[in-house]
Amino acid sequence: MTDSRTHPESSILLMDAAALGRALRRIAHEVIERNPELRQVVLAGIPSRGNEIARRIAGIISGIEKIDLPLGVIDVAMHRDDVGRRAELPVVQPSSLPLPLEDRTVIIVDDVLFTGRTVRAALDAITSFGRPAKIQLAVLIDRGHRELPIRADYVGKNVPTAPDERVRLRLGEAEEGVWLVRQS
Amino acid sequence: MQPLSAEQTMTTRWNRKDLLGLRELSAGEINLVLETADAFKQVGTREIKKVPALRGKTLVNFFVEPSTRTRTSFELAALRLSADIINISAEASSLTKGETLKDTARNLEALHADILVIRHSSAGAPQFLAERVSSSVINAGDGAHEHPTQGLLDVYTIRERRGRIEGLNVAIVGDILFSRVARSNIFALTKLGARVTLVGPSTLVPREFEKFGVTVSHDLESVLPQADVVNLLRIQHERQRNEYFPGLGEYIRLFGLTRERAKLLKPDCLIMHPGPINRGVEIDSELADGAQSVILDQVTNGLAVRMAVLYLCGGIAA
C-alpha cells in the first residue's frame, strides 16, 4: 500500500478535506432548495464512492432539515454497454431502491462524471425498478469529455482534464481529498 | 483506500470462457460466482426483470439428454440477460442422422453462437467441445461427471440460509456413484470448508469417494442428528441397473427420509433435493413441503446462479 500513500510527482491537489466538505455542504443545500418536496427524494449512489458521497449528503441534509432521506444503491455493471469489450468484467452487486419509485425524485450520486456512460447505465437500471417522477444527477467532480448528452444537476467542482489523466478521490481515511493524476 | 465493502473484497478475477466442472475452480472463483449471483437474484425482484448485460449475444441450449428444469432455467437466465436463445434437443439435432458431436458444434459455431450450454449423457462431452470451439461452453450435466451449476446453486442456497458454508455438516444421501450432482456438490462444499458425509448403500456409495476428502457412511440414522444440511439425491429409476440397487422398498426402508427419521434432525437442518422429487421414495411428501425444505429456493436460486455463470463466461472479451 506504500504506492497509494506516496503521491507521484505528477499529482495535483484539486480539493483538500475542507474543500471537499464545503462542496458536499453546498450540494446538500442545493438539493434542499431545488426539491420543495424533500421527503420524496432518494439519494441513490453508484458503488462504491457514490454510496459514500450519498451517505454524507444525506447526513448534512438530516442536520439542516431533520429529514433522513432514504439511500439507495444502483449497480450499473449489468447495464453497461461495453460488456464483452473490456478485458476485465465489471463486478456486479445487488441494487436497492425504496419502492415504489412512482412519486419519488431519485438523485443519482457518483464521484466523477466523465464520459456519461455510467450515468446512462444508471438511468437504465433505475427505470427497471419503476418510473420515478424525476431523476437528477449529483457528482463531486465533473471532468468533462462527455460522450453522451448528459449533464449533472449538482456539481462539487468542475475540473478541466486531459483524457489520459485520472481523478483520484480519497474518502473515509485520514487524508481525504481529490487529486488529478497524470499518467507517467 | 477507503474501507471496502464485502463485495469489493472480491479480488478473484474470472478468466474462464467455459464452466466445465467445479473440480477445477478455486474457492475464490466459487465465491465470485455466488456474490455475482446475489446481484442477479435482486434483478428478479424488479418491476422489469431484465438487464442488457448479454444483449446481442446468442446462446444455444444444446440438450442431447432430456431435461426440462435445467434447460428452462438456463433459458430464463439468458432471457433475463437479454441474450437470444435457440433450443436444440437430441431428437431435433442431426445427431440422430449420424452427425458427430464435433460437426454439430462447428455448425452451431458457424451460426455465431456465443455461448453453448450442453447437457450430454457422456462424461467429458462439454470439455471435448470447449477445446474445439471458440464459443463459451457451459456444462449443464455430463454423464456421471459433473453438473456445476447445480453444485453452485446448492451451495448458494446453503449460504443464503446459514450465512456460511465453512464448518457445516452436509449429508448427501442416495445414488452417489452415478450422480454428477453429488460430485459437483462434493467439490464445491469441500473447497468452501464444509464437512461432507456421503450416505447410501455400499453399492452406490463406495469407499473410494473418501479420496475426495469426505466421509462415507451406510447408516443414515447415525448421520442425521449432526447434519446441518441433508441433500437427498434423486433415485434415477431410469438409469438404475439392478445389480447396484437394493430395490425401492428396501431403499426407502434404509435411506428414505421418512417422517419418523426426520425427528432425528436438528430443527434448523435444511432439507434439499435437486428435483424432480420422487415423493415417498427419497423423501416423505410432507417433509418436501415442510418448513425445513428449501427445495423451491433451490429452483429460484438456480436462475440467479445461471445468470451469474452466463454473465461471467459470456461477458469475457473474446
Side-chain angles (χ1 to χ4, degrees):
Chain A
M1 294 303 283
T2 47
D3 255 2
S4 65
R5 295 285 159 193
T6 53
H7 306 302
E9 288 297 298
S10 54
S11 79
I12 304 160
L13 180 68
L14 297 175
M15 297 171 103
D16 59 13
L20 206 153
R22 280 194 298 274
L24 292 176
R25 279 197 295 280
R26 181 171 50 72
I27 291 174
H29 280 283
E30 287 176 6
V31 168
I32 295 165
E33 193 180 345
R34 290 233 217 136
N35 294 282
E37 294 194 44
L38 194 59
R39 283 175 197 283
Q40 298 300 327
V41 171
V42 180
L43 293 170
I46 296 176
S48 58
R49 306 303 175 84
N51 297 131
E52 173 60 17
I53 296 168
R55 200 183 59 75
R56 292 199 187 190
I57 294 172
I60 299 166
I61 291 175
S62 170
I64 303 166
E65 295 289 316
K66 312 295 173 223
I67 294 174
D68 289 320
L69 296 185
L71 295 173
V73 177
I74 316 167
D75 173 80
V76 295
M78 59 181 88
H79 292 273
R80 294 191 67 98
D81 57 10
D82 56 359
V83 170
R85 287 167 195 259
R86 291 153 41 122
E88 201 178 313
L89 203 57
V91 169
V92 294
Q93 56 181 289
S95 295
S96 71
L97 284 171
L99 298 177
L101 290 180
E102 266 51 32
D103 295 320
R104 296 190 187 259
T105 296
V106 178
I107 303 182
I108 300 169
V109 183
D110 203 2
D111 52 357
V112 178
L113 179 57
F114 186 24
T115 62
R117 289 183 190 266
T118 300
V119 175
R120 187 212 59 76
L123 290 168
D124 187 31
I126 291 168
T127 49
S128 74
F129 283 86
R131 186 175 181 276
K134 280 181 206 157
I135 302 179
Q136 300 173 348
L137 173 63
V139 297
L140 188 57
I141 302 288
D142 182 349
R143 60 167 293 188
H145 304 287
R146 215 76 76 239
E147 293 170 2
L148 295 171
I150 281 170
R151 62 161 183 79
D153 300 274
Y154 313 95
V155 180
K157 189 180 178 71
N158 284 292
V159 180
T161 62
D164 60 345
E165 288 169 330
R166 282 190 307 120
V167 174
R168 177 185 293 154
L169 170 64
R170 286 203 176 133
L171 278 177
E173 48 190 321
E175 190 191 11
E176 291 200 329
V178 184
W179 289 264
L180 186 64
V181 182
R182 199 153 292 149
Q183 311 276 64
S184 45
Chain B
M1 298 298 291
Q2 62 168 321
L4 294 174
S5 67
E7 280 78 16
Q8 293 168 293
T9 56
M10 296 194 295
T11 47
T12 308
R13 302 252 169 88
W14 188 265
N15 292 313
R16 297 176 184 274
K17 88 172 171 71
D18 311 307
L19 178 67
L20 304 176
L22 300 185
R23 190 173 199 172
E24 57 265 30
L25 296 197
S26 67
E29 285 174 307
I30 293 172
N31 280 321
L32 176 62
V33 177
L34 303 183
E35 283 157 22
T36 303
D38 282 335
F40 286 113
K41 185 164 185 182
Q42 191 282 319
V43 172
T45 67
R46 297 184 190 177
E47 191 170 304
I48 296 169
K49 299 169 184 56
K50 190 166 178 137
V51 293
L54 293 185
R55 192 171 64 180
K57 301 257 182 192
T58 302
L59 177 142
V60 175
N61 253 336
F62 184 44
F63 278 62
V64 182
E65 201 181 57
S67 153
T68 306
R69 74 181 52 217
T70 306
R71 184 182 56 73
T72 322
S73 181
F74 269 110
E75 189 170 342
L76 192 50
L79 288 169
R80 288 197 172 167
L81 293 169
S82 306
D84 298 309
I85 309 163
I86 318 166
N87 283 302
I88 299 177
S89 59
E91 308 81 63
S93 80
S94 298
L95 286 179
T96 50
K97 299 175 189 166
E99 190 177 59
T100 65
L101 182 59
K102 184 181 171 187
D103 282 331
T104 304
R106 290 170 59 114
N107 277 281
L108 295 174
E109 196 172 38
L111 296 171
H112 299 293
D114 300 288
I115 306 171
L116 207 50
V117 177
I118 178 172
R119 155 80 53 105
H120 201 282
S121 55
S122 299
Q127 178 162 2
F128 178 88
L129 290 183
E131 288 164 0
R132 283 161 183 81
V133 299
S134 61
S135 322
S136 288
V137 176
I138 314 290
N139 181 3
D142 59 333
H145 175 227
E146 282 221 44
H147 189 351
T149 56
Q150 180 72 45
L152 290 167
L153 76 89
D154 287 343
V155 291
Y156 184 92
T157 303
I158 298 170
R159 168 182 168 275
E160 181 179 67
R161 285 302 185 105
R162 303 301 298 263
R164 69 196 163 95
I165 301 292
E166 198 173 358
L168 294 181
N169 291 316
V170 180
I172 304 176
V173 185
D175 174 3
I176 309 292
L177 186 59
F178 295 109
S179 173
R180 54 193 174 214
V181 175
R183 293 172 62 90
S184 290
N185 260 279
I186 291 166
F187 297 134
L189 288 165
T190 53
K191 281 170 202 279
L192 299 181
R195 286 187 289 271
V196 178
T197 305
L198 308 177
V199 190
S202 55
T203 48
L204 296 175
V205 188
R207 291 259 166 222
E208 292 138 45
F209 273 86
E210 287 174 347
K211 70 180 181 218
F212 295 130
V214 301
T215 309
V216 168
S217 167
H218 307 304
D219 176 13
L220 182 61
E221 288 177 13
S222 71
V223 172
L224 292 179
Q226 293 86 43
D228 297 301
V229 177
V230 177
N231 196 348
L232 303 159
L233 302 184
R234 196 170 75 88
I235 291 303
Q236 311 187 62
H237 307 287
E238 68 276 12
R239 284 192 208 148
Q240 281 314 333
R241 278 173 281 165
N242 292 333
E243 60 266 37
Y244 291 104
F245 197 66
L248 219 48
E250 192 183 345
Y251 183 86
I252 296 168
R253 194 170 58 74
L254 292 170
F255 299 104
L257 190 63
T258 57
R259 247 169 307 170
E260 205 49 42
R261 219 167 250 148
K263 289 176 186 159
L264 297 169
L265 293 172
K266 293 194 246 183
D268 61 349
C269 177
L270 305 178
I271 298 175
M272 305 179 76
H273 192 299
I277 315 173
N278 298 312
R279 285 178 186 266
V281 179
E282 303 101 5
I283 182 168
D284 264 7
S285 203
E286 67 182 59
L287 293 173
D289 305 324
Q292 284 175 284
S293 164
V294 292
I295 295 171
L296 292 177
D297 297 69
Q298 289 174 269
V299 177
T300 305
N301 293 337
L303 189 55
V305 163
R306 290 183 178 112
M307 286 174 80
V309 167
L310 294 178
Y311 173 77
L312 291 170
C313 291
I316 277 187

